[in-house]
Amino acid sequence: MKALAIICTYNEADIIGWTVAHLRRQGLDVLVIDCQSTDETRRLAMREGAQIEPYSPPPMSWHAMLGFVERIVAGYIGVYAWCTLCDADELRYSYTAETLVEGFARVQLEGFNAIDHRVVTFHPTADSATFDGSQNPEDYFRFYSSDPLNQRLGQVKAWRNAQPVSLANSGGHQVQFAGRKVYPGKFLSKHYPIRSQAHGERKVFQERQWLDAKQGRKDWHVQYQGITRGQSFLKDPATLAEWK
């Protein structure tokens, strides 16, 4: 069974290679929709086997970008049996000892056509404050917290690709289509949104300014609201759980 992962990127050179390589090991083809990255994102994604689709939004709008994704996956109906929308900074797993593609096939055999995800967010600490992309993020970042925002909004981001779908109306959190039947067990998403102090400052105060509430619902991109310049992005491991 063929499956496709779609990743929208902007300046994710330190982690995109790890993400693409992981998805390829999980049995998926990978399409990276790159939003004018100014770093090595495209080259490193291609090195790991991803296809690249350049995207120039006018102006930058998450809603418009997801509409672009909708049109792309509609063109792959009959080519890819399943599609999944991934972030550049997350690693996806089934909750059993199977690849994602094997998980998709099993879910389909059980009569379901969409999959939700449990999100755990990993944080930099004083001992992991210098991530530069040469380290495997799964080995380097050991401390995590649950992600109540994503759990509240939902993460139904994998689906059987048999009909056109809507992603933009939910900010990509909930794929919508007629006859959607979500599998009751959640797959796993290991999320690495902030990977060092310098990365957090660049991402929050420069590169993600366009992802504000004006682009859609007010609860789409609120995770960085209230963060002020000079604030530490490093977490105390005592306040987190350790991944084992």
Side-chain angles (χ1 to χ4, degrees), residues 7 102 138 146:
I7 307 175
E102 290 168 345
E138 290 192 272
S146 62

Side-chain angles (χ1 to χ4, degrees), residues 176-188:
Q176 300 286 346
F177 55 88
R180 189 185 80 164
K181 192 174 181 182
V182 180
Y183 185 68
K186 293 186 178 183
F187 282 21
L188 174 66

Side-chain angles (χ1 to χ4, degrees), residues 85 116 150-157 159 165-177 180 182 217:
L85 180 65
D116 200 354
N150 278 311
Q151 297 308 129
R152 177 170 58 83
L153 294 176
Q155 288 284 299
V156 184
K157 299 171 74 171
W159 65 93
V165 301
S166 171
L167 293 162
N169 289 337
S170 69
H173 286 275
Q174 293 266 355
V175 63
Q176 300 286 346
F177 55 88
R180 189 185 80 164
V182 180
R217 280 177 42 184

Side-chain angles (χ1 to χ4, degrees), residues 15 39 51 60 85 94 101 104 113 116 123 142 147 206:
I15 202 166
D39 62 7
Q51 305 171 61
M60 279 185 171
L85 180 65
S94 171
V101 168
F104 296 162
N113 56 17
D116 200 354
H123 304 276
R142 298 183 298 115
D147 195 323
Q206 298 177 36

Side-chain angles (χ1 to χ4, degrees), residues 18-39:
W18 296 104
T19 305
V20 173
H22 171 77
L23 289 166
R24 297 283 289 160
R25 288 193 299 270
Q26 295 289 314
L28 288 83
D29 290 344
V30 181
L31 176 64
V32 168
I33 300 174
D34 186 68
C35 188
Q36 306 175 73
S37 290
T38 58
D39 62 7

